[in-house]
Amino acid sequence: MTSATPISPAGRQAAPSRKTLRRVAFASFAGTTIEFYDFFIYGTAAALVFPVVFFPALGAAAGTVASFGTFAVAFFARPLGAIVFGHFGDRIGRKKTLITTLLMMGTATVLIGFIPDASTIGVAAPILLVVLRFVQGLAVGGEWAGATLLVAEYAPQGKRGLFGSFPQIGPSVAFFLASGTFLLTNLTLGDKSEAFISIGWRVPFVLSAVLVLVGLWVRLSIEETPVFKNAARASATTTRLPVLESLRRQPREILLAGGALTLLFAFFYMGTAYLTSFATSPTGMKLGRVEVLSAGMVASVFVAAATLASGILSDRFGRKKVIAASCLLAVPWSLVLFPILSANTVLAFGVGLTVTLVIFAVAYGPAGALLPELFETRYRYTGAGMGYNLAGVVGGGIVPLVAAQLAGTSGAWSVGVLLAGIGVFSVLCSLALPNRENRGLEGAAVHAAAEPATAANAAPAARR
C-alpha cells in the first residue's frame, strides 16, 4: 500500500508525489482496460457468433437484430449502475466502489463463457445471456465515473485533461485485446469452423478472469483520493441520497453532458460492434473475420494516440471546444462513411473504422476531465456517472439497434444520415455546457460546509 499523503497545516492534503500520480494513472488505465475488455468481447461475439449460437431459429437478419438487442441491454442497465455505485462512491469512497465494479464485471463475463448454446438448453440460453449482460451494464455504469474521478481528483490543476485521458485510453487498448484474442482463437480454430462457433468464442470470456485478478491487485495498491478525504473531514460527504441532490441541484448539467456525449457513444459502438457485423455479414461487405479483427487492432492504436492527444489539447484550448470540434467532424464523415464502405474492400473497411473511432477519440479524451469538473464533490460520482451513462443509453444502446433495422429497410445510407443528425445534436449540447475548467475540484463543497449560508454565497451555488 502507498504511504499516506501528507497534510498541510491548513488541513488540506499536500500535492501527491509523482510516484503516486503515476500509480493512480496506471490504476485507472488498467481498470478501465480490463472492464471494457470484458464489455467489448461481448460486442465482438454479438457481431460474429451470437446470432448462430443463441438465436439460430431466427435466421441471419433477425438473429443479428436479436443479438444486438442483448448488446443494448447493458446500456439500459448502465444508468442504474451509475446511480447505485455513484451512491456508494459518494458515500464510502471511490476506491472501494471501483473494486466492487471490477469483481462484478469479471464474474459476469466469465459466466457468459460457460452458457450452453440454444441447441442444448433452448430459450434458457438467451435468457441467461441477457441477465449476465445486464450485470455487465451495472458494473460498467459504476466503473467509468469512478475511474475518471480517481485521476481527476488527484491531478494537478492545469493538467486535468492529460491525467483524465489515462482511463480513457483503456477502451482502445481493450478493443485491441478483444480483437486480438478473437483473432488468435479464430486463426487457431478456423474462420468458420464448428470449433470456433461452439468453443473458440468462449476463450476470451474465460481468460478475462486473469485480467480481473491483475486489476484487483492494482486497485488495492492505491489510496482513496485526496479530494474525497478532504471532503469527508469537512463533513461534506453526508448527502444521504446523492442521486436526488444531483438531480435537484444540477439537472441541466446531467442532461447537457448526456447530449454532448451521445455522438461519442454512437460512433464508438457503431465502429466496434455494428461495423464489425456489417463487414462480415453476407448482406454487407462479406469480409472474413480475420480481416475485420486485424483492421480493428490497427484502428485501436490510432484511437489510443488520438485520445491522449485530445486530452492534452483540452488543457490548452478547453474541453468544450475539443468535444464540439469532434462532433462537427462527425457530421460530414457520417454522410460519406457508407459510400466508402460500399467499395467492399479491406482497405475501405480499415479507413472507415479508423476515422470513425478517431473522431470518437477526439471527444472521449477530454470527457474524463469535463464531467468531474461539472459536479460538486459530495455527489460528483453520481452526477458524472448519470450524465455519461445517459449518453450511453441513447448513443450506445439505441443507435446500433436502430441502425441495424434502418440498414435492413432503407439501406446503409440512412444510417449515415442518422449519425449526422446525432452529430448536430451533440454539437449544440456541448456548446451549451458551462465552462468550469478553472475551478478546483475540492473547493466548493468543502467551503460550503465551513461557511454559513448567506445571500452572497447562496446565489453562486444556485447557478452551479
Side-chain angles (χ1 to χ4, degrees):
M1 302 291 286
T2 57
S3 59
T5 308
I7 307 297
S8 67
R12 291 184 180 273
Q13 289 180 336
S17 66
R18 289 185 178 182
K19 181 179 179 181
T20 298
L21 288 174
R22 286 195 298 267
R23 181 172 293 184
V24 168
F26 178 72
S28 65
F29 160 74
T32 54
T33 297
I34 293 163
E35 293 236 16
F36 279 91
Y37 167 83
D38 290 355
F39 205 66
F40 294 156
I41 56 175
Y42 189 102
T44 305
L48 297 179
V49 297
F50 281 1
V52 176
V53 174
F54 294 108
F55 306 100
L58 298 180
T64 299
V65 172
S67 181
F68 278 110
T70 67
F71 183 77
V73 164
F75 289 96
F76 294 98
R78 286 173 73 152
L80 179 59
I83 293 170
V84 172
F85 291 109
H87 174 86
F88 291 106
D90 285 323
R91 295 281 293 166
I92 66 174
R94 308 354 181 170
K95 175 182 173 177
K96 294 177 182 177
T97 305
L98 285 171
I99 290 171
T100 303
T101 62
L102 185 66
L103 291 174
M104 274 185 63
M105 173 61 83
T107 302
T109 303
V110 171
L111 289 177
I112 287 174
F114 288 105
I115 299 176
D117 59 31
S119 65
T120 303
I121 61 173
V123 71
I127 290 175
L128 287 172
L129 185 67
V130 168
V131 170
L132 293 174
R133 181 60 174 169
F134 187 85
V135 175
Q136 280 192 322
L138 287 176
V140 170
E143 165 68 22
W144 183 86
T148 54
L149 261 60
L150 193 66
V151 285
E153 291 184 344
Y154 262 105
Q157 194 161 338
K159 293 186 178 180
R160 208 175 288 145
L162 166 63
F163 279 88
S165 67
F166 284 108
Q168 307 297 74
I169 297 172
S172 57
V173 177
F175 185 48
F176 181 92
L177 293 175
S179 298
T181 307
F182 271 101
L183 179 61
L184 287 175
T185 55
N186 201 78
L187 288 172
T188 303
L189 299 175
D191 187 36
K192 298 182 180 179
S193 70
E194 193 65 32
F196 181 79
I197 298 297
S198 61
I199 298 174
W201 70 267
R202 301 176 185 275
V203 174
F205 288 86
V206 177
L207 285 179
S208 69
V210 178
L211 295 177
V212 169
L213 291 176
V214 174
L216 187 61
W217 173 75
V218 170
R219 285 192 168 169
L220 286 171
S221 69
I222 60 173
E223 289 189 351
E224 184 56 78
T225 71
V227 172
F228 183 85
K229 289 193 284 190
N230 281 338
R233 289 191 189 93
S235 300
T237 59
T238 56
T239 301
R240 290 186 178 181
L241 291 173
V243 60
L244 294 183
E245 185 167 2
S246 61
L247 288 172
R248 179 176 62 85
R249 290 175 60 87
Q250 294 189 273
R252 180 173 177 270
E253 284 84 348
I254 292 173
L255 292 174
L256 287 176
L261 300 185
T262 295
L263 185 279
L264 175 157
F265 275 95
F267 260 49
F268 188 77
Y269 288 103
M270 284 296 296
T272 57
Y274 177 78
L275 289 185
T276 299
S277 176
F278 180 77
T280 57
S281 171
T283 59
M285 298 181 71
K286 304 176 183 178
L287 299 177
R289 289 194 191 112
V290 171
E291 298 166 324
V292 170
L293 292 171
S294 299
M297 294 177 70
V298 173
S300 65
V301 176
F302 290 94
V303 174
T307 302
L308 179 61
S310 63
I312 295 171
L313 289 173
S314 75
D315 282 328
R316 180 173 181 180
F317 299 107
R319 326 280 184 232
K320 289 173 56 176
K321 290 180 181 178
V322 176
I323 292 174
S326 169
C327 297
L328 280 173
L329 288 171
V331 176
W333 177 250
S334 299
L335 299 176
V336 302
L337 171 60
F338 284 93
I340 289 173
L341 295 178
S342 66
N344 292 332
T345 65
V346 176
L347 178 61
F349 175 73
V351 170
L353 179 65
T354 301
V355 176
T356 299
L357 293 182
V358 165
I359 290 174
F360 142 81
V362 173
Y364 196 55
L370 173 75
L371 267 71
E373 290 168 343
L374 292 176
F375 299 98
E376 302 293 344
T377 301
R378 61 184 178 273
Y379 54 82
R380 180 173 293 135
Y381 201 129
T382 302
M386 288 176 65
Y388 182 80
N389 289 294
L390 174 62
V393 170
V394 181
I398 296 176
V399 171
L401 192 59
V402 172
Q405 294 174 325
L406 277 178
T409 57
S410 303
W413 67 270
S414 60
V415 178
V417 174
L418 171 66
L419 292 175
I422 294 172
V424 173
F425 170 71
S426 289
V427 168
L428 296 176
C429 290
S430 61
L431 293 176
L433 279 168
N435 187 354
R436 293 182 179 146
E437 296 169 20
N438 296 322
R439 189 184 73 170
L441 290 185
E442 61 184 315
V446 175
H447 295 325
E451 297 170 2
T454 64
N457 60 34
R463 289 194 296 269
R464 285 196 290 265

